[in-house]
């Protein structure tokens, strides 16, 4: 059974970088059939897919247009985890952030991490 | 890209059936068989209920079913139970290699 465990700070100052990590058990970040995603949820924006990283003989990334200039999702193979970095945050980036697995590249998500509330405030 | 359109709320009595719609465009829902549905209880992470328009993951009750016609996908829950009360979200792959979600539907079991 796959389990995702998120970690990272819950408070980030405006203009700084939001950084979260998602630890994987029961699967491999380097799997050739899986994609690893970050999704956020806020009252104002609802559920918003941010991007994904996946391995198909080499590493690929896809990012949402809304955050493409500010976001980086990286695999960390030695620790079997992946990370999210979102630069130049503003209060509008305040949300619950989730990591999620797409098991077959079918663009559905199962399971999800437990969620991390990240507040952007000075 | 705008969110997929879902009704804000639906309700039904125990034992009844309800259907939640999810309307997009030919660039997302209508163009791909990659519609999925999620159930979210308060304070919890979303849970996959339907993938690939109509596939039910192992462990999900067969009271949940999905379908699609044109640019609109639907989630039907039959034999409503109190535990089904939750928020439901649809999602779809889009033609710019991203994923888009619906605004969510609050299901109330009367």
């Amino acid at each position: 059974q796959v389990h995702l465990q998120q970690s990272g700070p819950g408070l980030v100052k405006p203009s700084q970088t939001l950084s979260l990590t998602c630890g994987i058990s029961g699967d491999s970040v380097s799997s050739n059939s899986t994609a690893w995603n970050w999704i956020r949820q806020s009252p104002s924006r609802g559920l918003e897919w941010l991007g994904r990283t996946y391995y198909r003989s080499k590493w690929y990334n896809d990012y949402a247009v809304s955050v493409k200039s500010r976001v980086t999702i990286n695999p960390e193979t030695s620790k079997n985890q992946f990370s999210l970095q979102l630069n130049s945050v503003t209060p509008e980036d305040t949300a619950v952030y989730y990591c999620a697995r797409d098991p077959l590249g079918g663009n559905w998500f199962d399971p999800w991490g437990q969620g991390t509330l990240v507040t952007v405030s000075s | 890209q705008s969110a997929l359109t879902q009704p804000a709320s639906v309700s039904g009595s125990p034992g009844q059936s309800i259907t939640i719609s999810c309307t997009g465009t030919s660039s997302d829902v209508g163009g791909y068989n990659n519609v999925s549905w999620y159930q979210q209880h308060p304070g919890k992470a979303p849970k996959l209920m339907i993938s690939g328009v109509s596939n039910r993951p192992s462990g999900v009750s067969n009271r949940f079913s999905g379908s699609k016609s044109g640019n609109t996908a639907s989630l039907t829950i039959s034999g409503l139970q109190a535990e089904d009360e939750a928020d439901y979200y649809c999602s779809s792959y889009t033609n710019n290699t991203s994923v888009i979600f619906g605004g969510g539907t609050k299901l109330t079991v009367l």
Side-chain angles (χ1 to χ4, degrees):
Chain A
Q1 187 168 353
V2 178
H3 180 72
L4 304 180
Q5 182 68 38
Q6 299 176 216
S7 59
L11 181 64
V12 181
K13 289 182 167 49
S15 81
Q16 295 193 342
T17 297
L18 180 160
S19 296
L20 296 173
T21 299
C22 183
I24 303 163
S25 58
D27 200 346
S28 170
V29 72
S30 303
S31 165
N32 266 297
S33 60
T34 305
W36 303 96
N37 298 260
W38 286 98
I39 297 161
R40 67 183 178 182
Q41 184 174 29
S42 65
S44 59
R45 301 171 76 99
L47 282 167
E48 181 182 18
W49 178 82
L50 299 177
R52 62 182 157 228
T53 188
Y54 55 99
Y55 185 75
R56 303 289 186 267
S57 301
K58 68 175 185 176
W59 288 101
Y60 294 87
N61 290 98
D62 295 315
Y63 298 123
V65 170
S66 61
V67 294
K68 191 168 186 175
S69 63
R70 300 192 292 133
V71 69
T72 303
I73 297 175
N74 280 328
E76 300 178 25
T77 56
S78 63
K79 297 181 179 180
N80 200 32
Q81 62 188 29
F82 63 109
S83 63
L84 169 72
Q85 288 195 314
L86 185 64
N87 302 325
S88 305
V89 297
T90 71
E92 283 204 351
D93 294 311
T94 294
V96 177
Y97 286 75
Y98 294 100
C99 60
R101 182 183 76 138
D102 174 358
L104 293 175
N107 298 290
W108 57 80
F109 309 111
D110 182 43
W112 297 53
Q114 80 275 22
T116 301
L117 172 60
V118 179
T119 302
V120 179
S121 175
S122 54
Chain B
Q1 194 149 7
S2 300
L4 304 175
T5 300
Q6 298 182 232
S9 63
V10 298
S11 62
S13 300
Q16 289 186 333
S17 295
I18 63 96
T19 297
I20 300 171
S21 62
C22 170
T23 301
T25 69
S26 58
S27 297
D28 38 67
V29 173
Y32 305 93
N33 287 324
N34 289 106
V35 177
S36 53
W37 289 91
Y38 303 88
Q39 176 192 67
Q40 187 178 34
H41 287 110
K44 300 293 188 182
K47 174 189 174 185
L48 178 69
M49 306 302 284
I50 296 288
S51 65
V53 176
S54 59
N55 299 311
R56 200 171 45 249
S58 173
V60 172
S61 170
N62 59 10
R63 298 185 297 104
F64 291 82
S65 62
S67 62
K68 189 185 84 167
S69 178
N71 295 336
T72 298
S74 298
L75 173 71
T76 298
I77 309 173
S78 59
L80 268 180
Q81 299 179 0
E83 68 208 47
D84 299 332
E85 184 161 296
D87 293 328
Y88 290 85
Y89 295 89
C90 61
S91 77
S92 175
Y93 180 73
T94 78
N95 64 353
N96 63 357
T97 67
S98 66
V99 175
I100 190 171
F101 288 90
T105 298
K106 181 177 179 59
L107 169 61
T108 301
V109 180
L110 301 170

